[in-house]
């Protein structure tokens, strides 16, 4: 019994998986070390919560005690789940099946790939282990749900507590302040595990509609500026090109939009930008159907 517990608590080295190809040795070793770190972290959370809950029991029973108890139960179930996952990483038969599947897919298991491909392979192996053990997958969903319940309960508890801008002294006026401060750090760590899910939810529910509204507003503002500019340009009389050295001609005798030389009696429009650039009247009016800036200097004219 003690030998089995010792085996579960000590991370397995790469050499431990000597019967497998080089890539799988590294994958199984990294997964084992990751589980090991998570087990130590969960044991630390469990012990700290138990210590500070015992200290807080001298206070009047409150919602903080029930939340701490729920957190302790979550840590116990999580340890059971991680120990079971660790045992699956020691199951030679299931790991051999994963090796066969990967080899059938034509994957090179002798040469360690680049970091991105290696991480992708780790996720594939982890999903394969979970798919071979439905209990792990089901337990993981229950634990995630329980963690979210704890997070929501704790934030509700914070709303009902005296407010203090110093987060480390947020609960200083309560009898069980030490327990609550320790739980705050633990719940924050749990929240960080779900932060990508919450960020995705925020993007979908809040950010995406705001971005759509902002895009519509900017497009409407641009169209309004274009209409306003076109109306303003209609009040500017065009010049008639005579082919001579006209005083108003400030540039080469070519339209930079259509790249055609000016022809006698063509209408030339001079823009009110800093360079007073000139173009065919028809070309520049078509240009301002889609933009409100000068085609050459890009100065905004709307």
């Amino acid at each position: 019994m003690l030998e089995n517990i010792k085996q579960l608590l000590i991370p397995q080295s790469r050499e431990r998986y000597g019967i497998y190809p080089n890539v799988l040795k590294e994958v199984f070793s990294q997964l084992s070390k990751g589980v090991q770190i998570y087990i130590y972290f969960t044991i630390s959370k469990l012990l700290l919560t138990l210590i500070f809950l015992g200290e807080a029991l001298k206070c009047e029973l409150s919602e903080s005690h029930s939340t701490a108890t729920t957190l302790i139960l979550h840590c116990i179930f999580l340890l059971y789940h991680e120990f079971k996952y660790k045992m699956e990483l020691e199951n030679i038969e299931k790991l051999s099946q994963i090796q066969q599947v990967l080899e059938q897919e034509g994957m090179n298991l002798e040469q360690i790939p680049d970091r991105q491909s290696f991480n992708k392979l780790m996720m594939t192996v982890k999903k394969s282990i979970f798919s071979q053990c439905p209990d792990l997958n089901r337990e993981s969903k229950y634990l995630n749900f329980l963690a979210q319940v704890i997070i929501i309960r704790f934030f509700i508890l914070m709303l009902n507590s005296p407010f203090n801008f110093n987060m480390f002294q947020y609960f200083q006026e309560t009898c069980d302040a030490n327990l609550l401060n320790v739980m705050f750090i633990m719940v924050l760590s749990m929240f960080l595990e779900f932060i990508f899910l919450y960020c995705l939810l925020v993007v979908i529910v809040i950010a995406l509609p705001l971005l759509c509204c902002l895009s519509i507003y900017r497009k409407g503002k641009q169209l309004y500026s274009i209409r306003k500019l076109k109306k303003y340009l209609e009040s500017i009389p065009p010049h008639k090109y005579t082919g001579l050295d006209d005083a108003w001609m400030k540039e080469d005798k070519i339209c930079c939009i259509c790249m055609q030389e000016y022809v006698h009696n063509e209408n030339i429009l001079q823009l009110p930008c800093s360079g007073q650039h000139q173009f065919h009247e028809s070309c520049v009016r078509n240009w301002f159907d889609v933009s409100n800036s000068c085609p050459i200097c890009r100065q905004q004219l709307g």
Side-chain angles (χ1 to χ4, degrees):
M1 180 67 178
L2 292 175
E3 188 64 28
N4 292 335
I5 295 176
K6 182 180 178 182
Q7 184 179 1
L8 289 171
L9 290 176
I10 298 176
Q12 304 301 322
S13 64
R14 187 175 183 272
E15 288 71 23
R16 170 67 177 78
Y17 301 99
I19 63 172
Y20 300 104
N22 292 332
V23 175
L24 289 185
K25 287 181 186 178
E26 191 66 28
V27 168
F28 296 152
S29 175
Q30 291 293 332
L31 288 174
S32 178
K33 289 177 182 177
V35 174
Q36 204 64 46
I37 293 172
Y38 201 62
I39 286 175
Y40 289 146
F41 178 64
T42 306
I43 291 175
S44 301
K45 288 199 303 182
L46 177 60
L47 293 177
L48 283 172
T49 308
L50 283 170
I51 291 170
F52 285 96
L53 177 60
E55 178 187 333
L57 286 176
K58 61 186 179 183
C59 305
E60 183 181 352
L61 291 179
S62 63
E63 189 178 349
S64 64
H65 296 79
S66 62
T67 306
T69 304
T70 309
L71 181 59
I72 290 171
L73 291 174
H74 178 267
C75 290
I76 293 174
F77 293 145
L78 186 59
L79 281 175
Y80 170 76
H81 172 76
E82 292 300 320
F83 278 135
K84 186 187 289 189
Y85 175 41
K86 186 78 161 50
M87 292 175 65
E88 293 299 324
L89 284 170
E90 302 296 315
N91 191 323
I92 297 176
E93 293 183 0
K94 291 186 178 179
L95 296 183
S96 298
Q97 291 177 9
I98 293 174
Q99 176 185 348
Q100 293 174 5
V101 171
L102 294 175
E103 287 176 345
Q104 289 174 1
E105 293 177 356
M107 188 170 295
N108 183 5
L109 300 179
E110 292 297 333
Q111 183 179 2
I112 296 179
D114 57 85
R115 174 54 58 182
Q116 184 176 1
S117 301
F118 183 76
N119 291 337
K120 186 176 180 180
L121 179 60
M122 285 183 62
M123 292 301 299
T124 302
V125 171
K126 186 174 180 179
K127 288 179 180 178
S128 299
I129 293 174
F130 273 68
S131 64
Q132 292 179 2
C133 187
D135 289 345
L136 281 177
N137 201 18
R138 185 165 54 251
E139 290 168 6
S140 179
K141 293 179 180 178
Y142 291 154
L143 286 167
N144 289 340
F145 175 75
L146 183 57
Q148 294 180 56
V149 170
I150 293 172
I151 292 170
I152 294 171
R153 283 192 64 184
F154 188 80
F155 279 114
I156 292 174
L157 182 61
M158 287 182 65
L159 293 175
N160 295 329
S161 300
F163 182 77
N164 190 301
F165 283 101
N166 187 343
M167 191 55 70
F168 293 101
Q169 297 179 353
Y170 194 94
F171 304 102
Q172 61 181 352
E173 298 181 10
T174 61
C175 176
D176 49 356
N178 291 333
L179 173 65
L180 289 167
N181 285 322
V182 169
M183 284 176 57
F184 171 76
I185 297 173
M186 295 179 183
V187 171
L188 181 62
S189 68
M190 294 170 64
F191 176 76
L192 291 176
E193 295 178 25
F194 295 97
I195 194 166
F196 295 108
L197 176 64
Y198 286 112
C199 286
L200 180 62
L201 184 63
V202 169
V203 169
I204 294 175
V205 175
I206 300 176
L208 190 58
L210 287 177
L211 289 174
C212 292
C213 292
L214 180 61
S215 177
I216 294 172
Y217 169 75
R218 292 181 64 181
K219 188 65 177 177
K221 186 177 180 181
Q222 183 183 15
L223 293 175
Y224 173 75
S225 299
I226 289 173
R227 287 197 300 267
K228 185 178 178 181
L229 177 61
K230 291 180 72 175
K231 186 176 181 180
Y232 169 71
L233 291 177
E234 289 175 358
S235 63
I236 302 176
H239 296 283
K240 283 287 185 181
Y241 180 68
T242 62
L244 303 176
D245 294 332
D246 296 316
W248 53 267
M249 183 64 67
K250 298 181 178 295
E251 300 176 331
D252 295 334
K253 300 174 182 180
I254 184 172
C255 176
C256 293
I257 297 177
C258 65
M259 302 305 294
Q260 299 293 324
E261 292 186 358
Y262 299 135
V263 180
H264 185 68
N265 280 336
E266 277 189 323
N267 288 334
I268 310 300
L269 193 63
Q270 184 174 331
L271 296 182
C273 59
S274 57
Q276 294 186 321
H277 298 117
Q278 298 157 345
F279 310 91
H280 285 129
E281 182 183 14
S282 58
C283 290
V284 76
R285 293 196 186 282
N286 290 332
W287 170 269
F288 284 119
D289 284 336
V290 294
S291 177
N292 62 344
S293 61
C294 172
I296 295 179
C297 65
R298 299 297 179 182
Q299 179 181 337
Q300 296 289 325
L301 301 176

